[in-house]
Amino acid sequence: MENYLVWFVLAAALIGLEMLVGTFYLLVYGLACALGGVAAWAGLTVVPQLVVAALGAVSGTVWLRLHPMSARRKGSDLLDIGQRVEVESWKTDTQLRVRYRGTSWDAELLAPLPDRPTSLYIVAQRSNTWVVAAEPPAA
């Protein structure tokens, strides 16, 4: 098998894995392998192929570090904070099931309440459990 085919197969595998992971790093490494494949196709020997792929991987990693594409920028971390949920059932005094966005969710109270209201507000999230309170969080 030709070197460029090995590079392109590796690039396709890494880009395919990226679709399962979603971090963009495997995409960068897949593109770096594609650069190595182009270098091999151009007739360069193995060492320059590796150098081209390594430079592509390092520069892509640096670029990802400097330009984050995630939704974790300030103010947009959790768009659900402050949204109202409807109480479906109470498991205990602090654990309950709520209805939000058309489905049931586990929730827990931020602080115990003297009564059991029918609607609460999302103030945080722990794993797949909403943390709710009687008042929406302060802006």
Side-chain angles (χ1 to χ4, degrees):
M1 183 181 264
E2 297 289 329
N3 277 353
Y4 70 90
L5 288 176
V6 173
W7 283 108
F8 290 143
V9 167
L10 184 58
L14 288 171
I15 291 170
L17 280 173
E18 174 59 39
M19 292 180 189
L20 298 174
V21 178
T23 62
F24 292 108
Y25 285 98
L26 290 178
L27 178 64
V28 166
Y29 302 146
L31 293 175
C33 286
L35 287 174
V38 169
W41 184 64
L44 298 176
T45 61
V46 174
V47 172
Q49 293 171 29
L50 291 170
V51 169
V52 168
L55 288 174
V58 168
S59 61
T61 302
V62 168
W63 187 82
L64 279 177
R65 292 289 188 158
L66 295 176
H67 300 89
M69 292 185 235
S70 71
R72 296 203 177 271
R73 292 190 177 135
K74 186 175 182 176
S76 67
D77 192 17
L78 237 181
L79 299 177
D80 298 304
I81 300 295
Q83 298 297 317
R84 196 175 83 174
V85 297
E86 299 298 322
V87 176
E88 282 189 341
S89 63
W90 291 84
K91 295 179 182 179
T92 66
D93 287 338
T94 57
Q95 295 181 337
L96 56 150
R97 292 288 288 177
V98 296
R99 188 142 192 89
Y100 178 60
R101 287 191 277 156
T103 191
S104 294
W105 300 81
D106 286 328
E108 61 184 49
L109 287 173
L110 181 63
L113 296 173
D115 58 345
R116 292 185 170 191
T118 58
S119 65
L120 297 164
Y121 294 91
I122 298 172
V123 295
Q125 181 181 12
R126 284 191 203 118
S127 185
N128 63 344
T129 301
W130 295 119
V131 179
V132 295
E135 298 292 325

